[in-house]
Amino acid sequence: LSGAEHPACKNRPLDLLFIVDSSRSVRPEEFEKVKLFLSEMIDTLDVGERTTRVAVVNYASTVRVEFPLRTHFDRVSLKEAVSHIAPLSAGTMTGLAIRTAMEEVFTEEMGARPATFSIPRVVIVVTDGRPQDQVQGVAASARTAGIEIYAVGVGRADVQSLRMMASEPLDEHVFYVETYGVIEKLTSRFRETFCAESVCALGSQGCQQLCVSDGASHLCDCYEGYTLNPDKKTCSAVDPCAPGRHECDQICVSNNRSYVCDCYEGYTLNPDKTTCSGFFPKPWLTTAMDMCAPGRHDCAQVCLSNDGSYSCGCYEGYTLNPDKKTCSGAITSSLVTAEESCKCEAIAALQDSVTSHEVSEKLQAYQDRQQIV
């Protein structure tokens, strides 16, 4: 469809960058098809200084910023600039092109709106080859920086590389066409995305995992097995063995965001994989498990086993706290008995006696030596 049949939509403002491959594998007439695709895309956008800004990066073995986000604020001048883009030929340095986008295009000096404006930063990469440099790491860095990446592959394009650079979900960010002759058909796909009423369709809005839209507003959410952090954007894995999150009868073992059940010693796991049965097959041989065995209770001092359960107690002179586990109080000096007091006095007297006896012996020995002299 032509630009006239694709009226511009009132999409939410974007900072949009096209990164186009013009390596030797792209023939001149094919590159003209790419430029036509860009022009038709521009026709569908609400272009303006306060609405959607557009930039283009051209790459092969080198990278060239054809025009930044700050240069053109109307569709006519944008399409005129696109018509003058010439292919570079040689090489396919896709990773370098994405790095250039981060360092030289999506900056306030080059026309990108400040992050505080919450205007989505979107990249559409068009390529027909396999990157000759490392693309996975630099694309991950771009996505972490809040840049949403769409990857368009043509003809001989390496699909795995497209998936490495694109944002999640991949089925909404990776496109493939057989030839440049039909690339313009993607215009309607992007128009549906950029003209959608849902703000989440225009980008992740800073949500780490899920963006849930309610018209002009949005909320972040998380995949199953994760919980939303206090910042309301990022997610953390949930412990599947936390109380209330599992169905294990006795022991829950976490296993990479899921869990498996296990049983105490003397019990075996039933076929339902959640409950446990006693190890001994004959009822008259079955012995109740000692719930007061080390590691099976949390009593601070005394554990009292009671037919498969237990209760806590305390040593003499201590009292059980309201938590029914720990104890308070201790034997004080006021509790020392008269018998214990007598024992202390007897020991002290004995020590004095021994000391006096030793002194007397040493004095007598000294006097004896004086008489001999």
Side-chain angles (χ1 to χ4, degrees), residues 22-40:
S22 64
S23 57
R24 186 177 291 109
S25 61
V26 183
R27 292 188 286 270
E29 62 273 17
E30 292 175 331
F31 193 68
E32 289 302 313
K33 291 288 186 180
V34 174
K35 290 160 62 175
L36 179 60
F37 167 66
L38 299 188
S39 294
E40 293 194 354

Side-chain angles (χ1 to χ4, degrees), residues 1 6 37 40 177 181-190:
L1 295 177
H6 273 311
F37 167 66
E40 293 194 354
V177 292
V182 295
I183 191 172
E184 61 191 272
K185 291 184 178 180
L186 293 177
T187 305
S188 58
R189 293 288 300 275
F190 281 110

Side-chain angles (χ1 to χ4, degrees), residues 140-339:
S141 297
R143 295 192 301 268
T144 301
I147 299 172
E148 186 166 18
I149 303 177
Y150 291 85
V152 176
V154 183
R156 299 171 297 277
D158 179 53
V159 176
Q160 186 61 33
S161 297
L162 300 177
R163 295 172 64 86
M164 285 182 182
M165 70 179 81
S167 298
E168 295 280 356
L170 294 178
D171 59 353
E172 296 179 11
H173 290 83
V174 177
F175 301 96
Y176 175 81
V177 292
E178 293 182 356
T179 67
Y180 282 101
V182 295
I183 191 172
E184 61 191 272
K185 291 184 178 180
L186 293 177
T187 305
S188 58
R189 293 288 300 275
F190 281 110
R191 186 181 189 281
E192 290 174 3
T193 298
F194 296 152
C195 295
E197 294 183 1
S198 166
V199 296
C200 290
L202 302 175
S204 64
Q205 308 302 322
C207 299
Q208 184 182 35
Q209 293 188 355
L210 298 176
C211 177
V212 180
S213 178
D214 181 18
S217 62
H218 77 282
L219 295 172
C220 297
D221 202 356
C222 302
Y223 300 132
E224 185 177 356
Y226 290 82
T227 184
L228 194 65
N229 291 327
D231 62 10
K232 302 300 183 183
K233 292 186 177 182
T234 59
C235 301
S236 295
V238 173
D239 180 8
C241 286
R245 294 188 179 274
H246 65 89
E247 299 178 348
C248 297
D249 186 29
Q250 294 186 356
I251 299 174
C252 176
V253 182
S254 295
N255 182 23
N256 189 26
R257 300 203 305 274
S258 64
Y259 68 89
V260 293
C261 298
D262 202 354
C263 301
Y264 298 130
E265 183 180 357
Y267 289 79
T268 56
L269 194 65
N270 291 327
D272 62 10
K273 302 298 182 183
T274 58
T275 60
C276 300
S277 296
F279 178 78
F280 300 102
K282 297 180 181 180
W284 59 86
L285 291 178
T286 302
T287 58
M289 184 184 352
D290 181 9
M291 297 303 295
C292 286
R296 291 204 177 116
H297 68 88
D298 48 9
C299 298
Q301 292 188 357
V302 179
C303 177
L304 305 172
S305 185
N306 182 22
D307 191 25
S309 64
Y310 70 91
S311 60
C312 298
C314 301
Y315 301 136
E316 185 177 356
Y318 291 78
T319 57
L320 192 64
N321 290 328
D323 62 8
K324 303 299 184 181
K325 298 176 183 179
T326 59
C327 301
S328 297
I331 299 175
T332 63
S333 58
S334 62
L335 297 179
V336 176
T337 64
E339 181 182 353

Side-chain angles (χ1 to χ4, degrees), residues 44-81:
T44 70
L45 301 171
D46 184 16
V47 176
E49 185 175 3
R50 295 182 178 274
T51 52
T52 293
R53 300 182 182 184
V54 178
V56 174
V57 164
N58 185 10
Y59 80 97
S61 57
T62 59
V63 177
R64 184 167 67 202
V65 179
E66 296 292 346
F67 51 84
L69 295 165
R70 68 183 183 187
T71 305
H72 304 288
F73 299 127
D74 64 90
R75 289 193 293 275
V76 173
S77 63
L78 271 174
K79 291 168 67 175
E80 178 68 19

Side-chain angles (χ1 to χ4, degrees), residues 114-133:
T116 53
F117 286 22
S118 297
I119 292 177
R121 295 180 174 183
V122 180
V123 167
I124 299 177
V125 181
V126 181
T127 180
D128 75 338
R130 179 191 297 271
Q132 295 177 339
D133 58 355

